[in-house]
Every structure is written in C-alpha cells, then in structure tokens.
Amino acid sequence: MSVIASGTSKPANLLTMVVLSRGKCGLSTCATRYLVAMSTADLLVIVTEVILRRIRFRYFPRSFLDITPVRCVNIALASAATDCSVWFTVAFTFDRFVAICCWKLKTKYCTGKTAAAVLPTIGILLCLKNVPFYFTRTPALFIEGVPWFTKMKPSYFTEPGWMAFDWLNSILTPLLPFAGILLLNVLTVRSILAANRVRKGLKGLNKDEKRRDPNLETRRRSVVLLFAVSGSFVLLWLTTVVQFIHYRSTGTGGRWSESVFILGKVGLILRNVNCCTNTFIYAATQSKFRQQVKEALMYPDKSKMVQWVQCRDCYALFMVCRFLNPSKCTDGLQNDLMALSLTEISRNERPEGATMDEIK
C-alpha cells in the first residue's frame, strides 16, 4: 500500500503543483496558492513518512537513515509535513468559507497577499511546534559507539511537560482541524441554502422555470471543489480520530488490543492515502484543470508548448510527463522544450528596441 501511495502521489502532486502554478485553471489567486501549498505539503508527507520511513525500512532495513540523530530528524520532519498538510487544508476551507459567506470580509481577506502571508506563518509555527519531537527519542542500541534506531523516552509518558506536549499535539492534529472543517462546512451549507432561496426569489426562479443563473453555476463549482477537498479529508482522517478518542477514553496507555492496533494501522494508511487524492479531486471537479493537464501531457504543437514552458518549470514538467507518458517524451523533446523556453524568456527579458545580438 505504501508503494502504491508513493508511486501515485509523487507524480500526481508534482503535476498539480506545475499546472496550478501556471494560473490558468480559472481559480482565484488565493485559492491557487492554497492548493499549491497543499500539494507541496502532501508531497513532503509522502517523501518523509512513506518513502524514508515505511518503504525504506521494508526494502533497506539498515542504512545511515537508521542512525539515531538522522531518524529523529526524519520523525520531526514527517510530523511537521503532516501538520502542514492538515492545516493548509483548514486554511483553504476557511478561505472558501469567507469567499462564499462573508461578502464584506471577502475583498480584504481572499487575496493573494493574504494567502502569501498566512501560508508561511502556518508553516513556520508548525515547524517550531514539531521541534520537540527530536528530543522524544533515545538510541535503541549502540554498535561500535554509534547510536542506532530509536525508542521513546520513558519520561515522555510520565513527566508533566511531555504529557502536556502530547495532548497539545493531539489537539492540534487532528482534533481541532477535524472539528473546524466540519463546522465551517456546516456554516457554508447553511449560508448557501439561504442565499440560493433569496436569489431564486429575487430572480423569479421557480420549479417550473428552466433558466440557468451563471452566478449560481460559478458558486456551485466553487462549492463542489470545497466540499470534495474537505469531505475527502474528513473521511480519510475519521479512522484516526476514532482511534484517538477510543485510546484516550479507555485509558489503555500502551496496552493495545489487536483490534485497536489494526484500527491504528488502518488510520495511518488512510492518512497517507489522503495525500494522493487531491489531484484526482481537481481533475474530477475542474474542467479547466483537466484541460491544462491534457495539454501538458499531449503537447499538441510547439506553439502551445511555448505558452506552457518556462525555464524554471521546464525540467520538472518534462519529468512528470516522462513518467506518465514515456512514449511521447524523448530526449529530443526535452531539448526542444529547453530551446523554446530559453527563446521565450529571452524575448520577455529583452529591453525594448534591443536585438538578440546585443543581448548576447
């Protein structure tokens, strides 16, 4: 399952980042930045949690990554990436809630500048919050004086400071985001239903009329995207939340029964699967996103390639297409892409009235 998640999520999230960053999917600037940030965080989760921990331990059971300090760093990075993935989803849900329900606040909050400020702030705070994870482990054994593997410190389960940190970590991920997304979706649904009744009454729309309201259609697409993303998050994190509530309410400590252990492993798998679903959600709900992906993979002609390719994302886009459609992505095509990219950039950066010889 980890191999499937890794093999699916890496190219999917990379493709999503490239496509959305072009800004041609019909989404607002702020929504695009939130979605790109979510894809980036999901990719980091797959790298740190799935590849460097699950897959690596299965196929390379003993490597330098098992040295205690390296393993502690990877544990902290995996936790930070998971938190960022969760809270970026919360930030996106709140942004869409404001855009749909809070018209006065929309013009001030739902902007690219706000997203550019919110996302780094969330990321920095969550990274700082996960620094203590580095100090929760001790070496499991020493081989020739080198510390290998890790185990939890006994004091983590007894000292008040570590117990408070464990509760804080559990509340911040996933209880508070889970409850927040559910609440925001309920409020959004209530606002949409009320607004639709008022709009239909003002426009004289009733059950017998078949006229289409373009504003309602636009809102519908936005709402479908919001509910698809947040609904997927809620469903795939539900098992983890149930396992956590059962663990805390029964007070079993470290004495897990077989059924609770299986429930925890299923929850972990579903959490990792959550990092693979957003690309398919965008493809299913956004027609412009599908069109942009199709153009990226098919390359109908070189004139459209120039519109797609610039130097900074040429190689990344080529590698994604080579993975998904190797028969159409040859080395010759890569050279053509680079040549077209450099030509386009030279044309854009050329001073007015200057010639190519002068630039050279």
Side-chain angles (χ1 to χ4, degrees), residues 81-122:
T82 301
D83 287 352
C84 287
S85 176
V86 170
W87 280 97
F88 287 166
T89 304
V90 175
F92 169 73
T93 304
F94 181 76
D95 176 82
R96 294 299 87 194
F97 166 75
V98 172
I100 295 172
C101 304
C102 306
W103 291 95
K104 294 182 179 180
L105 185 59
K106 175 182 177 180
T107 55
K108 296 181 180 180
Y109 183 81
C110 299
T111 62
K113 291 183 179 180
T114 301
V118 170
L119 291 170
T121 301
I122 293 176

Side-chain angles (χ1 to χ4, degrees), residues 78-206:
S79 180
T82 301
D83 287 352
C84 287
S85 176
V86 170
W87 280 97
F88 287 166
T89 304
V90 175
F92 169 73
T93 304
F94 181 76
D95 176 82
R96 294 299 87 194
F97 166 75
V98 172
I100 295 172
C101 304
C102 306
W103 291 95
K104 294 182 179 180
L105 185 59
K106 175 182 177 180
T107 55
K108 296 181 180 180
Y109 183 81
C110 299
T111 62
K113 291 183 179 180
T114 301
V118 170
L119 291 170
T121 301
I122 293 176
I124 293 173
L125 292 177
L126 292 176
C127 288
L128 293 176
K129 170 254 181 186
N130 284 281
V131 169
F133 274 110
Y134 181 88
F135 305 99
T136 60
R137 309 292 177 119
T138 59
L141 56 91
F142 287 85
I143 301 178
E144 297 180 355
V146 179
W148 287 89
F149 307 104
T150 61
K151 61 180 181 180
M152 295 295 297
K153 289 182 177 180
S155 59
Y156 184 80
F157 303 100
T158 58
E159 291 187 0
W162 285 122
M163 295 176 66
F165 172 76
D166 183 58
W167 269 102
L168 176 65
N169 180 66
S170 301
I171 292 173
L172 290 179
T173 306
L175 291 185
L176 187 59
F178 191 85
I181 288 178
L182 285 177
L183 177 62
L184 290 173
N185 283 340
V186 170
L187 296 177
T188 301
V189 169
R190 188 180 68 174
S191 177
I192 289 172
L193 294 177
N196 285 347
R197 286 195 295 266
V198 173
R199 185 182 295 274
K200 288 182 180 181
L202 293 176
K203 288 183 171 293
L205 298 177
N206 54 49

Side-chain angles (χ1 to χ4, degrees), residues 290-322:
R290 293 195 298 270
Q291 182 62 30
Q292 292 294 307
V293 172
K294 183 178 179 180
E295 290 183 10
L297 298 180
M298 299 304 295
Y299 293 112
D301 55 61
K302 289 187 177 182
S303 63
K304 289 190 176 181
M305 278 193 275
V306 175
Q307 301 173 4
W308 257 93
V309 181
Q310 289 184 354
C311 186
R312 61 184 174 87
D313 56 7
C314 170
Y315 182 73
L317 182 60
F318 172 78
M319 293 304 295
V320 173
C321 297
R322 189 171 188 175

